[in-house]
Each structure stands twice: as structure tokens, then as C-alpha cells.
Amino acid sequence: MDMELFKELLPILTTLVGGLIGYLSASKMWSKQQAERRQNIARGILLEIQSLENMLTGMANILNAPQGGTNVRIDSPLYPSHGLYHVLQKDLFSFDSELSGALFQFYIRLLEADRLRLHPPNDPAFAQMQAGVRAALSGAVNQLPGLKILLLGV
């Protein structure tokens, strides 16, 4: 009787084991794909940050110069409207909380500086807006070394 029951259950057990193996295999492949995707995104953001670094550092140095950095208006954009932040914004949160938070803070500072730089020089609030540009841009530039280390660690 036990052998007959075993013979009847064998196809069911085989199907269950096969399904479990398929699930585990698919789950592992999905996890690997997600890790590779995060690495690709991190590499792309790292390349973007490295390409912006000299320009951002130079602008921050000009604005923080003691000889009249308050009278300088930046006419060219600090960050392009088609930059990776705009394309991959939702993907920034696929990283661990430290990297996600640092990237979000960097881009928010950079976009804030970019927005404030557009204030007209003849406006009485121009000096105050320039102080905001200086603070936001300096904060973003100061984050660059740490961000690069975090991105390389993905």
C-alpha cells in the first residue's frame, strides 16, 4: 500500500520540487540583475559627477572669492535639464540609505543653486540669492569626494 501511495504522489512531489527549484533560480537571477542594474546606475552617476566636478568647483571658488564673488552672476546652467538625476530620479532610492540620501542631498543642493542663480542682478534680493547659490553650491561641491567613494563601493 505504501508503495502504491508513493507512486501516486511521485509526480506531485516532482512537480513541487521542480517548481521550487525554478522559483529559487528565478529569484537568484532577478537579484543578480538588480545588483548589476544598481552598479550600472552608480557608474553612470559617477561619470556624470566627475564630468561636472571641475566646473562646479570652479564656480564655487569664484563665488566664494573674497574679491567680489557676491557680484558674480552665473549665466550658464549648473546642471543640464537632461541630466541623469532627471532620468534616474526614482532609481536613486534603489541604493542603500546612506548613498541614496547623499545623492538626493547633492542633487537638491545643485538644483537649488541652479534655480537661485537665475535671480536678476537688479533685484534688491540679488545679494541674498547669491548667498544661497554660494551655500548650496559649496555644499554640493563638499559632498563630491564622499559621493565618489560611496558610488565606487556599489
Side-chain angles (χ1 to χ4, degrees):
M1 182 78 170
D2 289 333
M3 193 58 139
E4 284 183 31
L5 182 60
F6 179 74
K7 285 181 181 179
E8 289 177 15
L9 291 177
L10 186 61
I12 295 171
L13 292 173
T14 304
T15 302
L16 288 174
V17 169
L20 180 61
I21 290 171
Y23 170 77
L24 293 174
S25 176
S27 178
K28 184 172 176 107
M29 284 176 50
W30 183 82
S31 295
K32 185 178 183 211
Q33 287 173 342
Q34 292 302 315
E36 286 176 1
R37 186 170 190 277
R38 280 191 299 273
Q39 287 174 340
N40 289 338
I41 292 169
R43 277 191 288 260
I45 292 171
L46 179 61
L47 289 172
E48 179 180 71
I49 286 173
Q50 288 172 333
S51 73
L52 293 170
E53 187 171 16
N54 287 338
M55 185 264 300
L56 295 177
T57 302
M59 294 292 187
N61 289 340
I62 290 169
L63 289 173
N64 288 316
Q67 67 274 14
T70 57
N71 298 326
V72 175
R73 181 171 187 249
I74 301 170
D75 288 325
S76 59
L78 296 173
Y79 190 71
S81 60
H82 59 278
L84 285 180
Y85 175 76
H86 300 297
V87 176
L88 300 171
Q89 188 174 7
K90 69 179 182 344
D91 294 311
L92 296 184
F93 298 101
S94 66
F95 299 117
D96 64 57
S97 61
E98 182 182 11
L99 178 54
S100 293
L103 284 169
F104 186 72
Q105 187 176 43
F106 170 77
Y107 282 113
I108 290 300
R109 286 175 170 166
L110 186 54
L111 294 171
E112 178 71 6
D114 202 33
R115 185 182 63 78
L116 292 175
R117 77 171 173 80
L118 298 172
H119 211 75
N122 57 355
D123 189 304
F126 179 73
Q128 188 176 13
M129 295 299 118
Q130 286 300 95
V133 173
R134 268 193 308 283
L137 188 54
S138 293
V141 167
N142 289 338
Q143 276 188 270
L144 288 173
L147 265 180
K148 289 191 292 187
I149 290 169
L150 289 172
L151 288 165
L152 287 169
V154 173

